[in-house]
Amino acid sequence: VQLQASGGGLVQAGGSLRLACAASGRTFSRDTMGWFRLAPGKEREFVASFFRSYGRAYYADSVKGRFTISRDSAKNAVYLQMDSLKPEDTAVYYCAASTNLILSSISQPSAYNYWGQGTQVTVSS
């Protein structure tokens, strides 16, 4: 099973990026898929996730109103549209999937059992 993240890069503050995560080796259409990020000197932070196949998205307070998560079950993929980017959004972004997540654990990295390799997002001021 592999999660392949792409779309990171360097952007100025206020700009936009779209991350993509393509899964292979297993279908995650009924599972939770989402994004976390890791900035230097900080712990891995929840960004956004789609809870199972119910279509409900959850966001960290720090990205609400600026980031939008979407998924394409037919392509076994999840996306993260990031708008109004800030320097504090600079981090390595990881896609993740969970086959047995309960809603109360949606923001916990330990609740996810599949991880991608990460893609760097750098926002300059």
Side-chain angles (χ1 to χ4, degrees):
V1 177
Q2 188 175 20
L3 300 179
Q4 183 71 40
S6 61
L10 173 64
V11 65
Q12 289 186 334
S16 298
L17 283 174
R18 185 174 184 256
L19 305 184
C21 175
S24 60
R26 189 192 190 281
T27 299
F28 291 100
S29 60
R30 296 185 178 183
D31 300 310
T32 298
M33 295 187 75
W35 295 90
F36 287 77
R37 64 188 182 186
L38 182 62
K42 296 186 177 181
E43 295 185 352
R44 191 167 297 200
E45 177 189 22
F46 170 74
V47 176
S49 277
F50 250 110
F51 179 60
R52 299 188 182 174
S53 61
Y54 302 149
R56 177 77 184 269
Y58 294 82
Y59 297 91
D61 288 342
S62 58
V63 306
K64 278 182 183 177
R66 301 188 298 120
F67 291 11
T68 303
I69 189 172
S70 60
R71 72 189 300 174
D72 186 333
S73 296
K75 294 184 178 180
N76 212 19
V78 66
Y79 307 93
L80 187 68
Q81 177 66 38
M82 305 186 295
D83 299 317
S84 302
L85 281 161
K86 303 176 181 180
E88 50 263 45
D89 294 318
T90 294
V92 178
Y93 283 70
Y94 297 88
C95 64
S98 176
T99 56
N100 56 1
L101 184 139
I102 58 174
L103 184 55
S104 59
S105 300
I106 198 166
S107 65
Q108 303 302 314
S110 60
Y112 294 75
N113 46 348
Y114 294 98
W115 290 86
Q117 86 288 1
T119 185
Q120 176 72 46
V121 172
T122 303
V123 185
S124 62
S125 57

